Amino acid sequence: MTIQPLHSSMLIFTTVREIRLWLDRHAGGRVVGFVPTMGALHEGHLSLIEASKRECGLTVCSIFVNPAQFNDPRDLALYPRTYEADLALLADSSTDLLFFPSVEEIYPHDFVSVEADLGGLDQVMEGLHRPGHFDGVVRVVHRLLDIIRPHKLFMGQKDFQQFTIIGRMIEQLKMPVRLVVCPIAREPGGLAMSSRNRRLSKPVRDQANLIFQILQYGKSKRPVLSPGQTMDACLEKLRQAGFDPEYFEIVDPETLQKIKQWPESGRLCVACTAVWLEGVRLIDNEFY
Ligand code: PAF
């Protein structure tokens, strides 16, 4: 079904057949940029759309809350769904096409999942704590790329492990798309923007800003402390600040393996963390 929202030239498609038909007929020679999302849109998503609009002639956004990537059914149930507000934001952002499919449309009964060798990238950090999560992410992003066939895929640096794994999948399967990673959008206090932030109560929002401050604290300890000591010190600071941390790791940005020594000058490593606050799981990262 194609729907035209009021006061906007954005086209909305809910079926694979119709969006494919439209793209085949009307994309012409334009560079197609694609921003996949699960909705509950915020400034971070809008910065991806802006990047796509700067670099591409046609920008497609998708909203699909992908059940396959939720290892916890409660998390799936609580995931914010704000379709009307999302629609207004997308229309204002001059997104050209929105793809808003059903679960059956993405995973038809004869759907065959892609196999990609992720080289162990999915076995650390998020992968350890959310078993099956990246299988679901790879499955849906591959499927969406197969449908939209964009020239450029825009993803955020906040999900560091996610974009690293998607980059690996693209390389492995030799998919004809370029991954563009955009910087983390932050609230004025430093909290990385996330759809999950809206589940935090007002009083703990300030507390949540401490995640970014603790990432900065860790950075300031290079090279006085070793990477291992820095990780321990940051975990301790997170606990003292009232978080329940799942991990704080300083890793090589390509292999995602924990580093034992600081890399030579000029080479970066990245600190990644996941913490719980008020029953909400928050992730963030920072290059060191
Ligand atoms: O980052 C997200 O919002 C999701 O993991 C993605 C990439 C849209 C796949 O469902």
Side-chain angles (χ1 to χ4, degrees):
M1 187 183 19
T2 316
I3 310 162
Q4 178 101 32
L6 288 175
H7 316 303
S8 162
S9 56
M10 180 174 74
L11 292 172
I12 306 174
F13 297 89
T14 56
T15 69
V16 174
R17 194 179 158 276
E18 282 182 316
I19 194 161
R20 237 354 301 156
L21 217 64
W22 191 96
L23 285 165
D24 288 343
R25 282 195 188 144
H26 304 288
R30 283 180 284 183
V31 173
V32 177
F34 178 46
V35 181
T37 81
M38 296 204 299
L41 302 180
H42 50 70
E43 296 276 331
H45 296 112
L46 297 183
S47 71
L48 301 180
I49 289 168
E50 276 158 28
S52 173
K53 292 204 72 77
R54 273 196 306 276
E55 293 189 24
C56 305
L58 194 72
T59 292
V60 184
C61 177
S62 65
I63 296 181
F64 178 64
V65 182
N66 175 32
Q69 72 187 74
F70 286 83
N71 56 311
D72 176 358
R74 195 174 152 266
D75 196 24
L76 174 60
L78 289 174
Y79 200 83
R81 287 156 174 92
T82 56
Y83 183 62
E84 295 302 323
D86 291 348
L87 212 59
L89 282 175
L90 288 175
D92 283 354
S93 73
S94 311
T95 297
D96 298 301
L97 307 187
L98 168 63
F99 184 43
F100 182 56
S102 64
V103 174
E104 293 72 29
E105 199 63 25
I106 291 296
Y107 301 124
H109 63 91
D110 54 353
F111 174 76
V112 181
S113 196
V114 66
E115 297 269 332
D117 171 10
L118 301 177
L121 293 175
D122 56 336
Q123 301 300 313
V124 294
M125 300 191 289
E126 293 296 290
L128 275 187
H129 293 273
R130 303 183 67 191
H133 169 66
F134 287 120
D135 292 341
V137 172
V138 164
R139 191 177 311 161
V140 79
V141 175
H142 183 271
R143 172 84 171 122
L144 289 167
L145 290 175
D146 202 35
I147 296 166
I148 308 295
R149 297 177 214 153
H151 300 91
K152 296 188 183 188
L153 167 67
F154 293 82
M155 300 188 95
Q157 190 204 308
K158 184 178 78 75
D159 295 287
F160 199 93
Q161 192 169 3
Q162 169 170 275
F163 83 70
T164 307
I165 286 176
I166 294 301
R168 165 95 183 186
M169 174 194 80
I170 289 171
E171 201 182 280
Q172 273 273 308
L173 303 178
K174 307 209 174 349
M175 298 182 82
V177 59
R178 193 161 78 73
L179 175 61
V180 181
V181 179
C182 300
I184 302 177
R186 296 188 180 279
E187 307 278 357
L191 176 63
M193 288 192 182
S194 163
S195 306
R196 290 188 160 85
N197 292 356
R198 62 187 82 199
R199 285 173 49 203
L200 296 171
S201 68
K202 268 230 156 65
V204 305
R205 282 273 183 138
D206 284 345
Q207 187 183 345
N209 288 326
L210 292 173
I211 302 169
F212 182 55
Q213 289 178 27
I214 293 169
L215 279 163
Q216 297 299 322
Y217 164 83
K219 192 172 184 167
S220 74
K221 292 295 162 196
R222 177 181 178 174
V224 183
L225 299 181
S226 70
Q229 288 167 328
T230 308
M231 290 185 243
D232 289 344
C234 289
L235 277 169
E236 191 45 37
K237 282 222 169 261
L238 285 166
R239 283 189 201 101
Q240 281 167 5
F243 298 100
D244 180 9
E246 262 183 8
Y247 64 83
F248 185 107
E249 294 192 6
I250 303 176
V251 302
D252 177 286
E254 281 169 22
T255 64
L256 302 184
Q257 293 300 310
K258 261 195 250 186
I259 57 163
K260 294 199 172 66
Q261 284 167 354
W262 296 113
E264 291 155 28
S265 64
R267 290 212 57 209
L268 290 173
C269 46
V270 59
C272 301
T273 188
V275 302
W276 287 91
L277 180 63
E278 256 193 348
V280 183
R281 191 171 185 279
L282 301 168
I283 62 171
D284 201 351
N285 65 79
E286 173 79 352
F287 278 108
Y288 279 15

